[in-house]
Amino acid sequence: MAGPYLSATAMRGGYGKADILNGCTLTVERGQIAVIVGPNGAGKSTAMKAVFGMLHLREGQVALAGEDITHLSPQERVRKGMGFVPQTHNIFPTMTVEENLEMGAFIREDDYRDTMAQVYELFPAVADKRKQNAGELSGGQRQQVAVGRALMTKPSLLMLDEPTAGVSPIVMDELFDRIIEVARTGISILMVEQNARQALEIADIGYVLVQGANRYTDSGQALLADPEVRRTFLGG
Amino acid sequence: MDILNALVAILNFVVIPAASYGAQLALGALGVTLIYGILRFSNFAHGDTMAFGAALVILITWGLQSIGVSLGPLPTALLALPFGIALTAVFILGTDRVVYRFYRSKRSAPIILVMASVGVMFIMNGLTRLIIGVDEIRFDDGARFLITVQQFRAWTGLSEGLSLRVSQALTLVVTALACWALFRFLNRSRAGKAMRAYSDNEDLALLSGIDPERVVRLTWIIATALAVTAGTLYGLDKSFKVFNYFQILLPIFAAAIVGGLGNPLGAVAGGFIVAFSEVAVTYPWRKIATYLGFQPDGLLQLLSTEYKFAVSFVILIVVLLFRPTGLFRGKSV
Amino acid sequence: MSNTRQAEAVSPWRAPILFLILAALFLAEGSFRNALFSGSWNTALAILNMGLISAVMALGVNMQWGYAGLFNAGVVGFLALGGLAPVLVSTAPVQGAWAAGGPRVILALLVGLGTLVLAAQVWKRVSGLMRVPALIAVLVLGFVLYRWLFDPAVMAIEANNSARAGNIGGLGWPVLLSWPVGALFAAAAAWGVGKVALGLRSDYLAIATLGIGEIIVAVMRNEEWLSRGVKNVSGIPRPVPYELELQSSPDFVARAAEWGLSPAVASGIWVKLLYAGLFGAVLLGLILLAELALKSPWGRMMRAIRDNETAAEAMGKDVTRRHLQIFVIGSAVIGLAGAMMVTLDGLLSPNSFNPLRYTFLIWVMVIVGGSGNNWGAALGAILIWFLWIKAEVWGPEFMRLVTGPLPAGALRDHLLGSAPHMRFIALGVVLLLMLRFAPRGLVPEK
């Protein structure tokens, strides 16, 4: 199959009568990090939810590895290899870290202990707390658990909705490092970020959305270098 | 001063009755709290589920007795219990299919589900009256006492007696077993963990591929099993009367809220807290005070037994005032 | 809830037609004598009077549920509390009761109340390590003092002429005066419960009211000095003439003869008509007030809060405070109905306050009638009350019809004997069907 691994083309749709997405297109290659940035209310999270099937699309297609998945439910998309980390409420707070990961692997029938070991290897900080309730962890560690939970299905595309919201800059850098590591294992990443500058630095491809449509699309470095993008979206 | 006799009296009149009552409340509250955690509403029909199940158990017990089956010293009802649970569970799953599922799929406000549970309560109450009537029924066959007052006095030489009824001992043993099995199930098994996950975070559980309808069905079955067990034990201990099961709803809710709605461990603790407070407040302490060398004028009873429900209510109010999430941090308010 | 509240076009004729059908049912009850109806105007009016009182109760519940979405599961308690008012206000004073311990009981109750207030102050003012011990000390001392004052006084009052009285008695004032007092009693209790349970999850109010309902009824059953408990208080004065008085009035007998009625029947009908007029006036007055309130800015705000609590809160509305207001007002209306009911019966019978009958039946009335619509609630109340009473007659008839083919024997007898229980099942089924298929009731909110 030629073409990008994920291709969501010309998406239109919204929650009520008014469309939030107005012809938004997102593509990600295998092992690439794609970042969606844009002003508040641009439909960034909505675009990601549309890719994941949590939003009814009026127009447009979503294809994963060349297969049309436009009409699949989120659960079915998980089975097709998508992993999704919501922005908030993304862990099971009264369950231990280990149980959170087990729940991530709920749909797997095979032995998932290897995957769990890999997740612990990736996030050593939470590996030490595997018997502790996830709700008792710090903000950054919770995000790691949330990402780890999504990785348990061995997704080929990991979607992160503002993974660094509400965490300190140091933790943010740490999280981005981990995300790069995940991408190196061949997993494609699609993420929405408020911290546009830092996110674009690690992005292979960046999408600047405005009013639910693509305004700029380029590599992360190119976008960072574009004076127009810098002036309007990155604050100079 | 006669500390030994005082201790025996406390054991006999406060600790043993409160423990077995607490165990019955705990089983009831566990059901309420599980349903709350998964289906997110306070099930007003729970008391009548207990009554309905206990009524079926009594009918089956009578059937067994009539063909000459018995458990020797243990009540025959124990043998009938699994059948009672199965039949009640079928009925309850039916109510879920016909009543609750509709509101769940519509994502109705919890109070609408509470209202629907009132309707189910009416129907179950009527059915229970229909199948077994409104009279008081005793169905505890087998041996009555594990330890009688006379035996105890003979063994210990104390003037104060102590008795342990079979129904009380049975309540404690069955409750311990049920709690052990439930917590093992919730903490170890895949289905149990799925239930906890669903209770913790419904949306994420859906994303993880957990089938909500399966979780809901399982919850109803477990809650029903606990309710029927509680109802049967309560009936064995105190005799069966339909209206009592409506009244026990309040202490059960109090127990579940005290422990934190949605928190199973809290429900068990809450059951015992409510029961011990209730018995301690309504017990006349004069006898014990006399053993300890006081000469009280009155009965030293804080509240007459008619007001035992006030105790649950006061506990409920105190918890709502100071810690609405309950002692063990249940679902948020 | 919000999606069921969207205004759909409902025929303006719907309510009048339904009320006409209801009137026809009562006419049939009064005029035809057959398997279904009694053909007695006395019976028809008796059902109507209790139906009107039920309508007042339903109005109160409707204010709480229909306007604010509050689930009051303790209607029976507020009703019973209201029913206490005629006893305390209008029965004749009991000789010697006040002297036996009246002031001491009042003092004890004040001490009890004072203890709670003091405890609340201690909790607010004291901080640090001493907080909990100080609180417990206040509560324990207050309780001991309360019991020391209360117990001997109660014993003395209950010992006073215990066969015929044994209670504190009333003030001997006109019974109509006790109606607003009943409303006040219920309002005070509602304020206390609402203060604690409102502002938390919606189920908590339901559970707390369930508790207060049981406790109020327990108090009425056991505090003989207050309500004579299971011994009942009878002979509560009436706001209308007694049948016997009428029958001994030559004037009335003559007029009854003109209508072709025996004095006994005519006096019964006349008294019931007077009651119906009184209750009807109260009901209409309340509906009028409620409608005016709903159309005022206050009512609009109430509905805005109900339809979207979060949005209203975001707009700076104090939702909990508004809920407390409506909860107290609704409970006051229920208390008023309680006082009216006890007046009609001429009897306070604490044992008769059954939650299934007085809490959940009222709920069915509101849901069937149309939550949020006052006329609907009143209609639902009278209709359901009529059916509830008639089910007593119709149920066994129906069972006889159904069990006709069965051979005579234990099973058939059991089924025939259990016909009364069918009422509960029918009620549950009606509630569930309405909730599911017509959540807006027979007369939906405009």
Side-chain angles (χ1 to χ4, degrees):
Chain A
M1 276 276 172
Y5 183 62
L6 168 79
S7 100
T9 44
M11 296 188 294
R12 281 179 197 278
Y15 299 101
K17 284 185 186 118
D19 283 350
I20 298 173
L21 300 179
N22 297 300
C24 168
T25 293
L26 302 167
T27 58
V28 189
E29 301 288 350
R30 233 175 245 284
Q32 254 194 351
I33 299 180
V35 173
I36 310 173
V37 298
N40 282 333
K44 301 187 295 283
S45 289
T46 311
M48 179 168 281
K49 283 180 180 149
V51 171
F52 192 56
M54 290 165 83
L55 179 79
H56 176 70
L57 282 183
R58 230 166 24 77
E59 271 177 39
Q61 271 91 42
V62 183
L64 191 70
E67 184 187 352
D68 185 3
I69 57 167
T70 315
H71 299 291
L72 294 188
S73 71
Q75 285 83 353
E76 288 164 327
R77 292 181 202 217
V78 170
R79 288 175 201 273
K80 293 280 177 201
M82 285 185 163
F84 179 64
V85 181
Q87 185 183 346
T88 54
H89 303 291
N90 49 20
I91 54 163
F92 301 110
T94 72
M95 302 179 83
T96 64
V97 170
E98 183 129 331
E99 286 170 337
N100 266 273
L101 299 186
E102 279 176 43
M103 287 301 109
F106 194 81
I107 55 168
R108 285 182 58 178
E109 304 289 339
D110 55 336
D111 190 359
Y112 51 76
R113 273 176 295 187
D114 285 352
T115 321
M116 198 180 271
Q118 284 165 10
V119 170
Y120 282 143
E121 211 173 296
L122 188 62
F123 301 118
V126 300
D128 299 338
K129 305 194 165 168
R130 63 183 77 188
K131 293 289 172 207
Q132 214 168 323
N133 279 0
E136 296 162 4
L137 303 183
S138 70
Q141 287 169 345
R142 283 186 200 211
Q143 291 296 13
Q144 296 183 9
V145 173
V147 174
R149 187 203 64 81
L151 287 174
M152 285 304 290
T153 48
K154 286 209 271 186
S156 46
L157 171 71
L158 182 64
M159 291 186 280
L160 305 159
D161 194 354
E162 301 203 15
T164 64
V167 301
S168 70
I170 301 168
V171 175
M172 182 172 78
D173 287 345
E174 156 96 19
L175 264 174
F176 280 150
D177 286 346
R178 298 284 164 256
I179 289 166
I180 295 171
E181 254 179 77
V182 172
R184 286 212 186 106
T185 63
I187 298 175
S188 312
I189 306 242
L190 176 64
M191 86 179 156
V192 169
E193 259 300 333
Q194 283 286 354
N195 300 306
R197 192 183 290 270
Q198 291 87 339
L200 286 177
E201 272 170 16
I202 66 163
D204 297 306
I205 183 163
Y207 294 94
V208 181
L209 292 196
V210 177
Q211 290 178 345
N214 300 51
R215 174 69 60 89
Y216 301 96
T217 306
D218 212 328
S219 74
Q221 294 306 326
L223 286 174
L224 281 170
D226 185 333
E228 184 68 16
V229 173
R230 287 172 68 108
R231 196 170 52 76
T232 8
F233 300 110
L234 303 175
Chain B
M1 282 287 259
D2 189 349
I3 290 180
L4 268 183
N5 274 320
L7 274 178
V8 170
I10 291 183
L11 261 180
N12 190 30
F13 293 110
V14 178
V15 176
I16 293 178
S20 68
Y21 178 46
Q24 290 147 14
L25 288 186
L27 288 180
L30 268 175
V32 166
T33 228
L34 283 177
I35 291 175
Y36 186 87
I38 302 291
L39 291 118
R40 323 228 185 264
F41 75 98
S42 310
N43 182 15
F44 269 62
H46 203 74
D48 280 295
T49 307
M50 288 167 65
F52 183 79
L56 291 179
V57 167
I58 294 175
L59 288 185
I60 298 167
T61 305
W62 287 344
L64 289 173
Q65 283 167 343
S66 72
I67 55 169
V69 177
S70 86
L71 271 182
L74 291 174
T76 317
L78 213 53
L79 206 60
L81 185 59
F83 300 100
I85 290 175
L87 287 174
T88 315
V90 168
F91 183 87
I92 291 289
L93 286 175
T95 63
D96 182 69
R97 179 72 187 75
V98 178
V99 180
Y100 299 115
R101 200 170 77 166
F102 171 75
Y103 302 102
R104 192 159 62 240
S105 64
K106 260 181 62 184
R107 294 207 167 213
S108 295
I111 203 72
I112 301 286
L113 281 150
V114 173
M115 188 68 76
S117 78
V118 168
V120 173
M121 176 185 89
F122 263 110
I123 293 176
M124 295 194 80
N125 188 289
L127 284 176
T128 312
R129 287 158 183 257
L130 198 68
I131 57 178
I132 207 149
V134 289
D135 301 328
E136 193 163 337
I137 297 169
R138 293 221 62 105
F139 60 106
D140 53 338
D141 53 358
R144 261 182 78 64
F145 288 99
L146 212 57
I147 305 170
T148 65
V149 172
Q150 290 82 1
Q151 282 170 336
F152 184 83
R153 283 203 189 119
W155 287 337
T156 58
L158 289 171
S159 63
E160 187 61 42
L162 181 145
S163 71
L164 181 62
R165 279 186 282 129
V166 171
S167 61
Q168 291 169 328
L170 194 65
T171 297
L172 291 171
V173 172
V174 170
T175 305
L177 282 177
C179 288
W180 174 80
L182 177 68
F183 285 108
R184 213 183 143 78
F185 170 77
L186 288 177
N187 290 322
R188 301 279 177 84
S189 75
R190 197 171 122 91
K193 284 178 189 173
M195 268 176 70
R196 283 167 56 216
Y198 188 89
S199 161
D200 250 15
N201 189 336
E202 195 178 328
D203 293 328
L204 199 60
L206 292 179
L207 279 189
S208 307
I210 292 170
D211 177 4
E213 289 304 310
R214 243 188 80 128
V215 168
V216 165
R217 273 199 303 276
L218 200 58
T219 308
W220 279 119
I221 292 172
I222 295 174
T224 305
L226 292 166
V228 176
T229 309
T232 305
L233 292 173
Y234 184 76
L236 280 174
D237 197 17
K238 303 211 164 75
S239 89
F240 175 90
K241 199 160 185 276
V242 179
F243 191 65
N244 288 348
Y245 288 88
F246 175 76
Q247 291 201 311
I248 204 182
L249 198 56
L250 181 65
I252 284 179
F253 275 139
I257 293 180
V258 167
L261 267 177
N263 183 327
L265 200 62
V268 176
F272 286 101
I273 291 173
V274 169
F276 272 88
S277 324
E278 208 171 89
V279 174
V281 170
T282 53
Y283 174 68
W285 290 88
R286 173 157 66 181
K287 190 176 210 171
I288 288 154
T290 317
Y291 279 128
L292 293 177
F294 298 100
Q295 297 297 324
D297 305 328
L299 284 170
L300 291 186
Q301 184 185 21
L302 291 175
L303 215 57
S304 80
T305 41
E306 286 85 4
Y307 293 133
K308 61 180 179 191
F309 293 111
V311 180
S312 321
F313 183 71
V314 169
I315 294 175
L316 183 71
I317 293 292
V318 169
V319 170
L320 289 189
L321 277 177
F322 297 111
R323 205 177 161 108
T325 49
L327 298 178
F328 290 74
R329 289 261 176 251
K331 295 251 161 258
S332 64
V333 289
Chain C
M1 261 190 306
S2 53
N3 51 355
T4 60
R5 306 240 189 230
Q6 300 297 328
E8 286 157 36
V10 173
S11 157
W13 292 101
R14 191 155 170 178
I17 288 173
L18 284 167
F19 270 104
L20 274 179
I21 293 174
L22 192 57
L25 277 176
F26 276 98
L27 279 176
E29 176 70 21
S31 19
F32 304 121
R33 187 176 186 84
N34 53 30
L36 292 182
F37 300 109
S38 68
S40 152
W41 282 102
N42 258 317
T43 312
L45 283 171
I47 300 176
L48 176 66
N49 280 338
M50 196 53 215
L52 289 171
I53 292 177
S54 300
V56 176
M57 298 177 201
L59 221 50
V61 171
N62 183 40
M63 288 177 186
Q64 297 174 340
W65 171 251
Y67 295 6
L70 304 177
F71 186 172
N72 178 353
V75 175
V76 65
F78 298 105
L79 199 72
L81 210 51
L84 190 59
V87 173
L88 294 183
V89 171
S90 64
T91 54
V94 170
Q95 200 120 58
W98 185 253
R104 196 163 168 162
V105 163
I106 303 273
L107 188 64
L109 293 177
L110 286 178
V111 165
L113 204 63
T115 305
L116 290 182
V117 173
L118 194 65
Q121 287 300 318
V122 164
W123 186 257
K124 241 187 248 165
R125 299 273 164 81
V126 182
S127 55
L129 271 179
M130 287 309 293
R131 198 181 197 188
V132 173
L135 185 75
I136 292 174
V138 166
L139 287 175
V140 168
L141 285 177
F143 186 75
V144 169
L145 183 62
Y146 162 79
R147 286 293 292 264
W148 181 76
L149 284 167
F150 188 74
D151 290 3
V154 162
M155 294 238 280
I157 294 174
E158 289 180 357
N160 173 48
N161 190 7
S162 68
R164 302 202 38 221
N167 65 332
I168 186 84
L171 297 168
W173 292 350
V175 71
L176 285 183
L177 203 66
S178 74
W179 294 7
V181 174
L184 268 181
F185 283 179
W191 184 83
V193 183
K195 200 79 187 143
V196 177
L198 286 169
L200 301 172
R201 278 191 51 93
S202 50
D203 322 32
Y204 282 9
L205 180 75
I207 295 169
T209 46
L210 182 75
I212 194 78
E214 300 235 326
I215 288 170
I216 292 172
V217 173
V219 168
M220 306 259 291
R221 260 181 216 154
N222 296 299
E223 298 300 312
E224 294 192 354
W225 65 273
L226 190 69
S227 58
R228 296 197 78 218
V230 290
K231 292 192 282 185
N232 297 347
V233 180
S234 53
I236 293 165
R238 278 184 174 185
V240 297
Y242 285 86
E243 284 87 347
L244 283 176
E245 278 171 33
L246 291 176
Q247 286 163 27
S248 57
S249 138
D251 228 26
F252 183 82
V253 174
R255 244 181 301 159
E258 268 175 47
W259 284 78
L261 294 169
S262 76
V265 174
S267 61
I269 291 177
W270 178 240
V271 167
K272 291 192 178 74
L273 276 176
L274 286 177
Y275 268 128
L278 209 54
F279 297 152
V282 171
L283 179 64
L284 288 177
L286 281 174
I287 291 183
L288 188 70
L289 284 176
E291 290 290 319
L292 285 177
L294 259 194
K295 291 201 177 79
S296 71
W298 178 84
R300 278 200 297 277
M301 180 170 60
M302 252 13 262
R303 279 180 293 178
I305 289 175
R306 180 198 62 195
D307 291 340
N308 195 337
E309 229 168 83
T310 332
E313 199 135 43
M315 279 167 11
K317 310 285 184 218
D318 187 344
V319 172
T320 308
R321 216 180 118 90
R322 297 297 147 202
H323 277 173
L324 186 60
Q325 275 177 355
I326 198 79
F327 183 65
V328 168
I329 295 173
S331 299
V333 172
I334 298 168
L336 174 71
M340 287 161 61
M341 185 175 79
V342 168
T343 309
L344 173 67
D345 294 342
L347 171 82
L348 175 72
S349 166
N351 247 351
S352 69
F353 288 106
N354 174 329
L356 289 177
R357 155 72 183 86
Y358 288 110
T359 297
F360 296 110
L361 184 63
I362 311 299
W363 269 100
V364 176
M365 293 171 176
V366 173
I367 301 280
V368 167
S371 36
N373 185 315
N374 294 314
W375 290 104
L379 175 90
I382 302 173
L383 179 67
I384 291 293
W385 178 247
F386 183 83
L387 296 177
W388 178 253
I389 289 294
K390 292 311 288 182
E392 218 167 347
V393 187
W394 295 347
E397 287 289 333
F398 176 75
M399 284 306 258
R400 218 160 312 178
L401 206 69
V402 172
T403 57
L406 284 177
L411 178 63
R412 191 170 168 208
D413 289 346
H414 177 78
L415 284 175
L416 283 176
S418 53
H421 310 314
M422 297 294 279
R423 289 210 290 193
F424 290 96
I425 300 176
L427 209 60
V429 170
V430 167
L431 178 64
L432 288 177
L433 287 178
M434 288 304 290
L435 217 51
R436 168 97 178 239
F437 297 107
R440 300 166 71 221
L442 287 177
V443 188
E445 187 182 355
K446 284 180 275 294

